[in-house]
Amino acid sequence: IDICSAPGGKAFQNLSLGNKMTLVDINKKRIKILKNNLNRLKFKSEILNINALDISENEYFDVVVLDSPCSGLGTIRRNPEILFKKKPPDIRKLNEIQNSLINKASKLVKKKGVLLYMVCSFLSSETKNVKNFFLKNNKHYSQLKFKTDNQNDLYRFIDKEGDISCMPSEYNGFMVDGFYVVKFIKNA
């Protein structure tokens, strides 16, 4: 399940590998874009237009993907106007949403299942702090570190804690947004 899925980029990567996914998003306009993208790519998937916090906890999933609402500061390369908005991102409110969503997501994971938390931000308050707060309050979860050998180009995006952490940068001639991903496993 992808609980903040629209417009669908990560979901389409999973669907292209033959995985079944339930796609959830609260925003009706973004759901319309998601549906158009699904049709264009000829993928089929169950779509729920609901608040992720209202998902029933009667069904459990092997993998829960949470690309959480965030400040979006990782996209500053493409969206420099982020710095010039009349009202800056309310990081405290975003942290409340992030913590609520990751806790909800954790209730949807099967035993030995995986929870992926990601944001397009590099702020510690939206990345490491959310991870550490989650692990402190969810003892039945542990982190699964991302790994690759140092011969792989992607090695540079994995930090010493095993998280994927990227500042806006260039990779193989392409400009890459800043983002963060951490992976957890449910142990009990």
Side-chain angles (χ1 to χ4, degrees), residues 73 76 79-86 88-89:
L73 288 177
I76 196 165
N79 304 300
E81 69 278 3
I82 287 174
L83 295 177
F84 303 103
K85 290 183 176 182
K86 287 182 181 179

Side-chain angles (χ1 to χ4, degrees), residues 170-188:
E170 184 179 335
Y171 176 73
N172 289 343
F174 296 96
M175 296 308 293
V176 179
D177 286 340
F179 62 94
Y180 172 84
V181 186
V182 62
K183 181 171 47 170
F184 305 100
I185 186 166
K186 186 174 186 178
N187 300 310

Side-chain angles (χ1 to χ4, degrees), residues 61-147:
F61 300 88
D62 295 317
V63 178
V64 176
V65 177
L66 169 57
D67 186 354
S68 188
C70 67
S71 66
L73 288 177
T75 68
I76 196 165
R77 176 188 57 80
R78 288 182 293 125
N79 304 300
E81 69 278 3
I82 287 174
L83 295 177
F84 303 103
K85 290 183 176 182
K86 287 182 181 179
K87 190 175 175 187
D90 184 344
I91 301 299
R92 197 179 70 145
K93 180 68 173 165
L94 286 167
N95 287 156
E96 289 173 12
I97 293 168
Q98 292 156 353
N99 287 319
S100 294
L101 285 169
I102 198 170
N103 284 321
K104 177 62 172 193
S106 73
K107 295 175 183 172
L108 303 173
V109 180
K110 288 180 179 177
K111 184 176 181 183
K112 299 297 178 191
V114 171
L115 168 58
L116 287 166
Y117 170 80
M118 58 193 78
V119 286
C120 52
S121 175
F122 44 78
L123 298 177
S124 59
S125 62
E126 296 185 281
T127 59
K128 301 288 187 180
N129 292 0
V130 173
K131 173 183 90 168
N132 294 333
F133 185 77
F134 176 76
L135 286 172
K136 179 182 173 189
N137 293 295
N138 291 277
K139 299 298 183 195
H140 53 290
Y141 276 88
S142 58
Q143 181 179 352
L144 277 174
K145 295 181 179 188
F146 288 98
K147 297 177 189 172

